[in-house]
Amino acid sequence: MNKKVIARPRGIIIFILFFCLVLILGLSIVFYTKPDSRLFLLLFISFIMYGVYHIAKTFTYLKIERDFITCGLNSKYNYNEIKKVTLYDIKDYKFLFFPMREECLTIIFEDGKEVILEDNFYKNLWKIRWSIENKVIKNDHSFNFDFNLDFDCGIITNKTSPISFFIKLTPFLFFFFLISFITNIILTFLDIYSNGLLIIISFLGLMNLIIFHGKSYYMESCDKGIYIKNLIFKHVNIKISLNKIESIRLETTGGGRNKTTFLVIHMKYHRDYKFVIDYINHNRTKNIINQVKKLDIDFYDLRY
């Protein structure tokens, strides 16, 4: 059994960073081959580089072991050197001119060092919270980092409303734009063929589908648990056992056109499943709400 846990970045963040680096390389090639569009390309490349810098500086290497915590490359702390822990904190900042707010875990050490781990950047932050709660707050020396939560959900009995033919085509559109983008970058790099407009169109198509993917989750259920699935990527199939769910809530953030509605599934061990239901059709939204109300789980409708 592994006696440690390391904060690991989400796969989508790694993909975005890699994608942006490839895009910067491709646009840099176009920059030197298309003098008439250099000003636009320079601004676009600068914006992407700023985004990459902002994401990269957010990451913190954190490893939790039996007797100490490692922060960064060479900073180790014993648990008694932790001054304050806020398991659920809020971080306010600005990206360019836009105010942003992120949920996070905050750890402050006796020497003043502050570590902030944002929920949107780490896929296993629930493990960090669970470990910190047991090792620091509860002072549980017997905590053994056992995160085995497998279960058998059974057969799906409550399914979603029918998925349209166009939605079923979106995975093929995603791979079409991806192949088109990569192919044109390679052809431009080899000086065989160059079409900056096609590269930009492919990039914008990919970005829109990635955004749609992040906001197109839906739910199906059975008598033992819940399935979280995605309209675009069919391999997404997250199983959640009912006996591990503490509560389910419906909430909104923002207002007007910027309003976003979330269905949040709060687990008993600090893991939250949070997905947007604004981008799916009205019937599917009603279907999700009806399924939740049938479950023997505390449900809170916090929409305004």
Side-chain angles (χ1 to χ4, degrees), residues 30-95:
V30 177
F31 178 83
Y32 287 104
T33 57
K34 300 290 183 180
D36 53 335
S37 58
R38 282 185 174 178
L39 179 60
F40 169 76
L41 289 172
L42 182 62
L43 293 174
F44 196 27
I45 291 172
S46 299
F47 175 75
I48 296 173
M49 291 181 67
Y50 176 76
V52 170
Y53 166 75
H54 172 77
I55 294 174
K57 76 171 186 176
T58 303
F59 286 117
T60 299
Y61 177 78
L62 184 75
K63 181 170 65 173
I64 298 178
E65 299 188 67
R66 188 183 66 179
D67 299 319
F68 55 84
I69 298 178
T70 302
C71 302
L73 297 178
N74 54 9
S75 298
K76 288 188 177 182
Y77 297 90
N78 296 321
Y79 288 106
N80 57 13
E81 295 181 85
I82 295 178
K83 180 180 180 180
K84 181 181 178 181
V85 171
T86 307
L87 293 178
Y88 293 93
D89 204 356
I90 296 294
K91 177 184 177 183
D92 293 308
Y93 63 93
K94 285 188 177 181
F95 180 78

Side-chain angles (χ1 to χ4, degrees), residues 212-237:
F212 184 62
H213 151 70
K215 299 187 177 185
S216 62
Y217 290 95
Y218 64 96
M219 189 183 80
E220 295 182 334
S221 60
C222 65
D223 59 344
K224 295 183 179 180
I226 291 172
Y227 291 90
I228 295 178
K229 298 185 177 182
N230 190 271
L231 290 172
I232 294 183
F233 297 114
K234 302 302 179 183
H235 69 277
V236 175
N237 189 15

